[in-house]
Amino acid sequence: MRKADRLFQIIQILRRSSRPVTSSELAGELEVARRTVYRDIAHLIAQRVPIEGEAGFGYILDPRYDMPPLMLTPDEIEAVVLGVQMVARVNDAAIRNAAGDVMAKIKSVMPQDLLPYIEGPAVGIKPDAVSAEATLDTRPLRLAIREGRKLEIDYRAADGAVTSRIVWPVLLGYADTHSLLIAWCQSKQAFRHFRTERILKVEILDDAIGMSKTRLRQQWRQWRDVEMRNPVGAQ
């Protein structure tokens, strides 16, 4: 690992920890000797990075410290590249376009010496085809989830029957090339998974869901755990 990458990684480790991190822990994660950690910490402090602590006690980073967000390591770059490749398989044009925009923004500010990690990454996934079938614009679904508001949807079941439902959206999930709206259905008084390609119409209602988003998601996870132990047919 290059020294510059190692220095950034030390900052990242300290940023994500809520307690002092010892030199042994840093050395173990970075796979270097403790004396290397001591030198790197001294170098960061000399560069006015607000690290406090000492050998034997551990090091902490002032939470107010702001590091440029796009100083990425090769591993982090390839993780982003892999994520964008995966999203490219999703049958959701809005999400695919957003992923492409993110990668373009990253490339526009990336130092020249790191561009090869984007243009020729060491990771990749099988380039499966994406369905050309017209799909629902999922932006209203995601907006309702973020704002904790109810949705009214017209939904076509597998047998062709169309129903109108009011649902409390929990999550937009993805399976292979399909997406699923996970929601509490008021008419069924139960959680349901709605395939987005079968949603014919969406309206975001002014009404907020009947509980906090956190509590709703907790209840869905409990329901999901029960369903995984006792699977039934999909919606």
Side-chain angles (χ1 to χ4, degrees):
M1 181 184 295
R2 299 182 308 170
K3 180 178 180 179
D5 296 335
R6 198 169 62 242
L7 296 176
F8 284 124
Q9 189 61 25
I10 288 175
I11 293 174
Q12 289 296 91
I13 294 170
L14 296 179
R15 289 178 76 178
R16 71 172 184 247
S17 178
S18 59
R19 59 173 181 78
V21 182
T22 67
S23 57
S24 294
E25 291 171 323
L26 289 169
E29 182 160 347
L30 297 171
E31 299 181 343
V32 297
R34 291 173 62 182
R35 61 179 179 275
T36 301
V37 171
Y38 297 146
R39 288 198 298 266
D40 288 345
I41 291 290
H43 179 84
L44 288 169
I45 292 174
Q47 296 299 313
R48 299 186 178 179
V49 177
I51 296 174
E52 298 180 0
E54 58 186 23
F57 170 74
Y59 300 96
I60 59 174
L61 178 69
D62 188 324
R64 294 169 295 181
Y65 176 68
D66 184 27
M67 184 176 68
L70 286 176
M71 292 299 186
L72 304 179
T73 67
D75 284 345
E76 291 168 343
I77 294 171
E78 291 182 337
V80 172
V81 171
L82 188 61
V84 170
Q85 291 178 0
M86 291 178 175
V87 170
R89 296 174 55 183
V90 171
N91 198 13
D92 186 328
I95 288 291
R96 291 202 307 268
N97 291 340
D101 290 344
V102 168
M103 185 55 66
K105 289 178 180 178
I106 291 175
K107 290 178 68 174
S108 70
V109 296
M110 186 69 63
Q112 287 294 320
D113 64 322
L114 293 180
L115 286 177
Y117 294 106
I118 294 178
E119 297 168 352
V123 296
I125 62 172
K126 183 180 178 180
D128 291 340
V130 176
S131 171
E133 180 183 355
T135 59
L136 179 76
D137 183 352
T138 61
R139 286 174 292 186
L141 305 181
R142 290 183 278 117
L143 177 62
I145 293 169
R146 289 194 292 265
E147 296 186 350
R149 293 163 62 186
K150 296 181 183 180
L151 288 169
E152 183 174 0
I153 64 173
D154 288 350
Y155 187 72
R156 184 183 66 246
D159 62 3
V162 176
T163 57
S164 181
R165 312 186 187 208
I166 293 178
V167 300
W168 304 3
V170 178
L171 184 72
L172 188 60
Y174 292 88
D176 298 324
T177 59
H178 296 91
S179 55
L180 302 167
L181 173 64
I182 299 164
W184 170 264
C185 179
Q186 284 191 181
S187 61
K188 298 294 186 180
Q189 286 293 290
F191 287 103
R192 290 290 186 267
H193 292 181
F194 301 96
R195 291 179 62 135
T196 56
E197 73 269 20
R198 295 180 186 168
I199 297 177
L200 307 178
K201 187 178 73 172
V202 177
E203 180 181 355
I204 302 177
L205 303 180
D206 292 332
D207 297 340
I209 60 176
M211 63 180 68
S212 72
K213 292 187 293 182
T214 300
R215 180 59 181 160
L216 180 63
R217 189 162 294 196
Q218 287 174 342
Q219 291 191 0
W220 165 68
R221 286 171 177 158
Q222 292 170 357
W223 172 85
R224 179 194 59 187
D225 291 343
V226 173
E227 289 293 302
M228 290 178 67
R229 291 194 296 268
N230 304 285
V232 295
Q235 172 105 194

